[in-house]
Amino acid sequence: QVQLVESGGGSVQAGGSLTLSCAASGDTYSTYFMAWFRQAPGKEREGVADIDSDGSATYADSVKGRFTISKDNAKNTALLHMNSLKPEDTAMYYCAADQSPRTMEAHEYNLWSQGTQVTVSK
């Protein structure tokens, strides 16, 4: 079973960039879908981006053109590059993994990282 350890995050001014990293253990990592979710206070957890085992990615409309998800099967890592950050991107960010999620919704993913805070100031 894959275990996830997330790193990165922090505070940045609007317009800045951050990269989140998710390190996975387990020898079947390459077969997993990876995704990034975020949750702001008082809001539901929402999907930001996901990537399948072949490297095809999808993005939430709110981050298209600004965020990029990638997956390195050789290094067992997934990355979320976040550019042109906005204050509304402020949230706790989580990486998640699952072998066969049907959609980019939190209940479709069984494995989760501990989360990392991203704060974007005006």
Side-chain angles (χ1 to χ4, degrees):
Q1 181 165 324
V2 172
Q3 293 183 320
L4 307 175
V5 178
E6 186 176 3
S7 61
S11 297
V12 66
Q13 288 188 326
S17 300
L18 285 173
T19 296
L20 305 182
S21 177
C22 183
S25 62
D27 57 7
T28 58
Y29 170 78
S30 63
T31 66
Y32 278 70
F33 283 61
M34 298 296 296
W36 294 88
F37 290 81
R38 65 187 182 188
Q39 188 166 18
K43 294 187 177 181
E44 292 187 356
R45 191 168 296 189
E46 63 172 353
V48 174
D50 68 8
I51 186 167
D52 67 17
S53 56
D54 294 327
S56 296
T58 58
Y59 297 91
D61 288 342
S62 59
V63 306
K64 279 181 181 177
R66 301 188 298 121
F67 289 13
T68 302
I69 188 172
S70 62
K71 185 173 181 275
D72 187 333
N73 291 331
K75 296 182 179 180
N76 278 15
T77 58
L79 298 176
L80 184 69
H81 298 285
M82 304 183 292
N83 297 317
S84 302
L85 282 162
K86 303 175 181 180
E88 50 264 44
D89 294 319
T90 295
M92 185 71 78
Y93 282 71
Y94 301 88
C95 72
D98 197 273
Q99 289 185 301
S100 56
R102 292 170 295 179
T103 62
M104 190 170 61
E105 294 177 281
H107 66 265
E108 292 287 334
Y109 283 79
N110 291 315
L111 303 170
W112 292 87
S113 69
Q114 77 282 11
T116 188
Q117 178 68 36
V118 171
T119 303
V120 184
S121 59
K122 295 181 180 178

